[in-house]
């Protein structure tokens, strides 16, 4: 079963998957590619990194295309000061409980983009969890999954005061970004 494959792949290692030296539970050093020796290939869907310029170009290209793109903001208490226009807020604290509903609702979209304030932890982690759920529940889906490089802070730094600000940001509290 899938669970036994997972436990065979990860039972004695830390979660390091970059191929560098890692510690096993028994304290021995090994290589992440030992997983391949045990028949365990990385089976995750790819998660892309999307720049603010690329996302804004998609948003500005044609409003009709935005119906095929979903932007998920996983900020929690820091969800203030504004948001990317048209994004939905699914706080990271509740994301795990809603992931099944989200994959069911968005598996037919062309792209789902995640972000948090800086997209250093919560945004990429949500994108990876979403990709794993998509791989498991909708393996034939063509949906691209990405997280926004720089998060909302990077987005705001680029687009507050920009000529297209109103098409790219909503609920803006200018005091937070001045």
């Amino acid at each position: 079963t899938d669970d036994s494959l997972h436990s065979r792949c990860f039972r004695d290692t830390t979660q390091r998957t970059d191929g560098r030296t890692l510690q096993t539970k028994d304290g021995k050093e090994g290589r992440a590619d030992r997983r391949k020796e045990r028949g365990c290939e990385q089976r995750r869907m790819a998660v892309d990194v999307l720049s603010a310029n690329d996302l804004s170009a998609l948003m500005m290209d044609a409003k009709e295309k935005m119906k095929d793109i979903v932007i998920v903001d996983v900020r929690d208490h820091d969800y203030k000061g504004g948001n990317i226009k048209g994004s939905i807020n699914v706080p990271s604290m509740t994301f795990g409980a809603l992931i099944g509903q989200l994959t069911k609702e968005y598996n037919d979209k062309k792209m789902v983009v995640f972000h948090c304030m800086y997209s250093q932890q919560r945004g990429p982690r949500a994108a990876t969890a979403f990709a794993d759920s998509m791989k498991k529940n909708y393996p034939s889906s063509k949906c691209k999954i990405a997280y926004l490089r720089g998060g909302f802070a990077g987005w705001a730094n680029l687009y507050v005061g920009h000529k297209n600000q109103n098409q790219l940001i909503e609920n803006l509290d200018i005091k937070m970004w001045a």
Side-chain angles (χ1 to χ4, degrees):
T1 67
D2 202 37
D3 287 336
S4 64
L5 178 64
H6 182 272
S7 62
R8 190 171 78 231
C9 293
F10 295 102
R11 69 177 173 263
D12 65 346
T13 63
T14 61
Q15 294 225 305
R16 189 136 196 180
T17 59
D18 60 3
R20 293 187 293 175
T21 302
L22 55 95
Q23 286 290 107
T24 61
K25 284 186 180 176
D26 60 7
K28 296 178 183 173
E29 288 191 349
R31 303 235 357 125
D33 51 12
R34 276 190 190 166
R35 294 183 185 134
K36 287 184 181 175
E37 292 170 14
R38 291 192 298 247
C40 307
E41 294 83 32
Q42 181 114 10
R43 299 177 329 153
R44 288 195 156 147
M45 286 182 77
V47 174
D48 296 322
V49 181
L50 195 63
S51 73
N53 288 331
D54 289 341
L55 180 57
S56 68
L58 288 171
M59 292 174 69
M60 298 299 293
D61 188 22
K63 291 294 180 191
E64 190 168 77
K65 283 188 177 183
M66 279 307 293
K67 70 181 180 187
D68 292 326
I69 299 172
V70 178
I71 303 168
V72 182
D73 186 332
V74 295
R75 291 180 289 164
D76 298 297
H77 66 280
D78 54 343
Y79 183 74
K80 55 188 174 188
N83 57 278
I84 296 175
K85 190 163 189 156
S87 66
I88 61 168
N89 181 233
V90 181
S92 67
M93 295 186 312
T94 61
F95 186 82
L98 298 172
I99 196 161
Q101 178 183 338
L102 293 169
T103 54
K104 182 177 182 181
E105 190 170 341
Y106 301 130
N107 74 81
D108 62 341
K109 299 294 183 182
K110 285 184 182 175
M111 180 181 284
V112 180
V113 181
F114 293 85
H115 75 89
C116 57
M117 184 58 85
Y118 301 103
S119 287
Q120 292 179 351
Q121 292 184 20
R122 294 172 292 173
R125 192 173 17 217
T128 300
F130 186 83
D132 290 347
S133 182
M134 289 288 286
K135 179 82 171 175
K136 179 180 178 187
N137 297 306
Y138 302 95
S140 62
S141 175
K142 303 290 186 217
C143 180
K144 289 186 177 190
I145 302 160
Y147 68 88
L148 177 64
R149 180 183 296 124
F152 185 72
W155 184 266
N157 286 333
L158 280 174
Y159 298 116
V160 169
H162 189 273
K163 66 180 181 176
N164 295 323
Q165 173 184 307
N166 293 335
Q167 287 85 13
L168 300 170
I169 299 175
E170 58 189 6
N171 305 315
L172 181 65
D173 180 358
I174 195 70
K175 293 177 217 160
M176 289 194 64
W177 306 104

